Amino acid sequence: MRIKILLLILVFSLSSCSVLKQMTNISRLKFKLNGVSDFRLSGINLSNKTSLKDFNVFDSAQLLNNFAKGSLPVSFVLNIEAYNPNDGGGYPRQDLDIVDFKWRLIIDDVETLSGNIARPISVPGTGETTIFPITIELDLYKFFRERGFENVINLALAIGGKNPNLSRIVLKAQPTIQTPFGKIQYPGEIDIIDREFR
């Protein structure tokens, strides 16, 4: 009887140690905004534009007309960079699979969209980074119309123009990681920004 109890304690201890290592490795996974690509405002590519003066007459007329009608749709790809440093160095190397990534997009302190990834994302434990895209489609007019036409256009240019400024964006996310012991969800949301890994 004593031997059985000792074996159970040993198995539980080993299991707890493995779970602790898993949790440690997962806590080391970090994220940041990597960039914006293919930003389009009412179908107009902004990648070579820095100000309202860069729009031709036809594009300017289209934007003014759309704003007057109450619509300024934008679409772009927001690239997220995931860093998994679990390549050894005191920790066992461990690849991590993100199976759920609920997110909320904040632009200029205004919550806009929410969503999730369409498929799992593997982040190899090589001390390198993996970049995965999130496709964004929203109507800037819906969220920022009170700022006026020029300010809304400048906001779009600041995010997706020739010199993007991702400090205008925060992605709040709650990842869930697949482990041999099941799925482990982050206890709360993390703020993903462009300046540093979180």
Side-chain angles (χ1 to χ4, degrees):
M1 184 68 176
R2 288 180 181 176
I3 294 175
K4 286 182 180 179
I5 292 172
L6 288 173
L7 284 173
L8 284 172
I9 291 171
L10 180 61
V11 168
F12 179 77
S13 297
L14 290 173
S15 176
S16 297
C17 184
S18 295
V19 170
L20 183 60
K21 285 181 179 178
Q22 290 278 344
M23 293 297 290
T24 300
N25 286 341
I26 288 170
S27 71
R28 299 178 77 222
L29 182 64
K30 306 294 182 187
F31 301 90
K32 76 172 182 177
L33 301 181
N34 176 269
V36 166
S37 57
D38 199 25
F39 194 105
R40 294 183 177 274
L41 173 64
S42 292
I44 302 166
N45 190 326
L46 300 190
S47 62
N48 62 345
K49 296 176 172 51
T50 58
S51 71
L52 270 168
K53 293 182 289 186
D54 295 328
F55 292 92
N56 62 41
V57 174
F58 300 105
D59 288 345
S60 297
Q62 178 185 334
L63 293 173
L64 276 167
N65 187 49
N66 286 355
F67 190 85
K69 290 180 176 178
S71 178
L72 273 178
V74 298
S75 63
F76 60 94
V77 175
L78 183 61
N79 296 302
I80 310 301
E81 189 171 358
Y83 174 58
N84 179 5
N86 298 308
D87 58 350
Y91 295 88
R93 171 178 168 164
Q94 182 180 358
D95 298 343
L96 296 173
D97 290 324
I98 305 167
V99 294
D100 201 52
F101 193 79
K102 295 183 177 70
W103 55 264
R104 296 186 295 127
L105 179 65
I106 313 297
I107 300 176
D108 273 3
D109 298 321
V110 176
E111 182 171 344
T112 58
L113 294 181
S114 61
N116 205 336
I117 54 174
R119 60 187 62 84
I121 296 154
S122 181
V123 188
T126 57
E128 297 179 0
T129 60
T130 295
I131 297 173
F132 61 94
I134 294 177
T135 300
I136 305 292
E137 292 182 356
L138 61 92
D139 192 333
L140 285 182
Y141 182 90
K142 176 181 177 182
F143 299 100
F144 302 102
R145 61 183 174 272
E146 75 284 350
R147 299 188 182 188
F149 175 75
E150 187 172 340
N151 285 331
V152 175
I153 301 301
N154 285 333
L155 172 61
L157 287 166
I159 297 170
K162 189 174 181 179
N163 303 306
N165 178 6
L166 292 187
S167 67
R168 310 285 290 265
I169 295 176
V170 175
L171 193 75
K172 292 183 176 289
Q174 188 171 24
T176 299
I177 312 300
Q178 182 67 56
T179 77
F181 304 99
K183 296 177 181 178
I184 297 178
Q185 185 182 60
Y186 277 49
E189 289 182 325
I190 55 174
D191 287 354
I192 301 174
I193 59 176
D194 70 321
R195 294 183 297 279
E196 61 188 65
F197 281 104
R198 295 285 181 93

